[in-house]
Amino acid sequence: MLLSAVSGWSLPSLGRCDPTLRLLLACARPPGAPVPLAELCRSPVDWPQLPALAARHGLVPLVSGALAGQPAVPEPVHRQLAAGAISGSARILLLAAHLHELLAVLSHAGIAVFVHKGLAIGAMAYGDILLRHAGDLDLVIRPADLPRARLLLENLGYAAKAAAPRPGGYHLGFRRASSGVTVELHWAFTSARWPFPLSQASLWSSLTTVPVAGHPAPCLVPAMAVLALCAHGTKEAWARLGLLADLAALLTRYPDLPWEAILACARRMRREQAVLLGFALAAVCLGLVLPPELTRRMGQFPRLPKLCRQVIRSYETGQPISGLSFHCFLWRVMETGHDRRVYWAATGPVLARKLIDWMRPTEADRPPVRALRWLPYVQRPVRIVRACGGPWLALRLALRRLG
């Protein structure tokens, strides 16, 4: 157990973790944590699988750096990880160049903006943007500035991925064809159906700057960045270990954070359990040592150990939480009946439409006789059940499609 019992309450351990995943977790531990890498490298690791697993979890830079110089690691694995790290570094430097251009243009137009996730976390949590995987740029603006910001991006050659934001959405994506760089303009951290309602006043008054490739970039102060990371991680059901590594590195680099203020802010948003879930997972998976006040507070949430086990099981099986299980996961994270009703009221019709679209007959199913036009609605489910190999397998497939 990486966390001892608190008033009869404890979190799960990683005792059944396979050697490959255990090595990956060891490489992702925050700086300064004692890790027996040499011993883990001599265990029965699935070496051909390790680079792909590191890439899927966004951990290639950390794994490549941690395993450099380990003689037990096969040379082809060293080369593959090093090539992935070099490719990722080139991508990050390209993103940094685009970031500085965008910040200059938006600031010149009087649009308040700060960097979210990606490069900002690389600089703040790791002290080096090259140690953190980044696939795109995430910029946060005020909701009222979206039309002007969109026009400025389009003038720079970025094409919007959608004509308008989705109802209840929280970001709009853009892509620059000449470079392949994707930018997401955010005005919130999560969707309206699962809100993480940090107030605009506290958000925009809690900014600092970090150096990104030699230029200052605005971002959230560490305490607010912790809340934003927990919001993003929970929204994704902590599908990537890279998200946990970010949180653990940030908490390790800033050990004197105002814990009570962070929890009080989460409590006002009714998202304290979501924040504590991130802390608990970082402790269980990455050996993060938590302050006593956090462990004591975790004991007030009886659902927390089960949520942790669900996420850990997804790491052990290699199957991220998806489908109906994903919606149930978010439902259990919520702390009030009102939030759960709002979530299902927004999610239920979407899931029903997905299921109806899947069961709707295709043109090939339509009978030549008009009087039998009802028949395909009976035949289609039968064909799906036969194709899946039985009703239970068909039901499992249907639940997975509800993600």
Side-chain angles (χ1 to χ4, degrees):
M1 286 276 183
L2 292 175
L3 277 181
S4 58
V6 181
S7 302
W9 176 88
S10 62
L11 287 172
S13 67
L14 287 168
R16 295 176 297 175
C17 178
D18 72 73
T20 307
L21 179 58
R22 190 172 290 276
L23 178 60
L24 192 73
L25 292 172
C27 294
R29 284 199 169 200
V35 181
L37 277 179
E39 178 184 344
L40 290 171
C41 289
R42 290 192 295 270
S43 62
V45 176
D46 186 352
W47 292 113
Q49 179 66 20
L50 182 67
L53 191 62
R56 183 166 71 81
H57 285 285
L59 292 173
V60 170
L62 293 179
V63 175
S64 178
L67 296 183
Q70 291 291 337
V73 181
E75 189 59 32
V77 176
H78 273 307
R79 289 197 299 268
Q80 191 172 350
L81 288 171
I86 292 171
S87 175
S89 297
R91 177 71 177 179
I92 289 170
L93 293 176
L94 176 66
L95 291 174
H98 283 68
L99 173 64
H100 299 318
E101 178 190 30
L102 288 167
L103 290 178
V105 170
L106 292 171
S107 298
H108 181 73
I111 296 176
V113 59
F114 66 84
V115 189
H116 176 44
K117 300 184 297 183
L119 301 181
I121 293 298
M124 181 179 291
Y126 300 99
D128 185 351
I129 60 173
L130 301 183
L131 292 180
R132 203 269 187 192
H133 167 79
D136 55 20
L137 293 174
D138 295 275
L139 304 178
V140 181
I141 60 174
R142 289 187 171 95
D145 289 331
L146 178 60
R148 283 199 302 147
R150 174 175 185 161
L151 182 59
L152 289 172
L153 262 65
E154 289 174 343
N155 290 338
L156 291 174
Y158 292 89
K161 294 184 176 181
R166 292 182 299 176
Y170 60 100
H171 64 80
L172 185 62
F174 297 81
R175 186 177 184 276
R176 199 176 200 174
S178 60
S179 61
V181 169
T182 299
V183 177
E184 288 190 346
L185 290 181
H186 294 250
W187 50 91
F189 293 123
T190 58
S191 67
R193 66 182 180 183
W194 194 80
F196 203 90
L198 282 168
S199 70
Q200 291 290 314
S202 61
L203 196 64
W204 292 100
S205 64
S206 305
L207 298 183
T208 184
T209 59
V210 292
V212 174
H215 296 271
C219 65
L220 291 171
V221 297
M224 296 296 282
V226 165
L227 290 171
L229 273 177
C230 290
H232 179 66
T234 306
K235 174 182 70 70
E236 302 289 334
W238 295 101
R240 291 187 298 111
L241 280 165
L243 299 174
L244 274 184
D246 293 345
L247 181 60
L250 187 61
L251 295 177
T252 302
R253 193 174 177 88
Y254 299 93
D256 298 324
L257 290 173
W259 301 110
E260 289 298 335
I262 290 174
L263 292 182
C265 183
R267 202 172 300 128
R268 286 194 297 271
M269 297 185 292
R270 304 187 304 277
R271 294 293 178 266
E272 188 177 5
Q273 184 169 228
V275 174
L276 292 173
L277 174 61
F279 295 161
L281 286 170
V284 173
C285 297
L286 302 179
L288 184 70
V289 179
L290 298 177
E293 54 265 37
L294 291 185
T295 57
R296 283 196 299 270
R297 189 60 188 160
M298 288 177 185
Q300 306 300 314
F301 294 89
R303 291 184 178 180
L304 200 54
K306 185 174 182 179
L307 291 167
C308 283
R309 281 192 291 271
Q310 189 175 2
V311 176
I312 291 170
R313 194 179 307 117
S314 73
Y315 297 150
E316 293 173 338
T317 62
Q319 299 293 327
I321 301 171
S322 62
L324 193 59
S325 296
F326 171 79
H327 298 293
C328 292
F329 172 84
L330 288 184
W331 181 82
R332 282 193 292 268
V333 171
M334 294 177 184
E335 299 174 23
T336 67
H338 171 75
D339 286 342
R340 297 186 190 110
R341 288 191 294 272
V342 169
Y343 182 80
W344 283 118
T347 305
V350 176
L351 301 184
R353 282 196 298 272
K354 285 186 176 182
L355 195 56
I356 290 171
D357 290 342
W358 185 46
M359 302 294 289
R360 182 176 289 120
T362 63
E363 287 297 327
D365 296 324
R366 301 195 182 281
V369 182
R370 184 174 177 81
L372 297 177
R373 61 182 180 273
W374 55 269
L375 187 59
Y377 292 92
V378 177
Q379 293 176 328
R380 175 74 171 169
V382 174
R383 288 175 180 171
I384 290 175
V385 169
R386 287 179 177 174
C388 293
W392 288 113
L393 293 176
L395 179 60
R396 289 176 60 184
L397 178 60
L399 295 179
R400 283 200 298 269
R401 292 179 69 92
L402 294 179

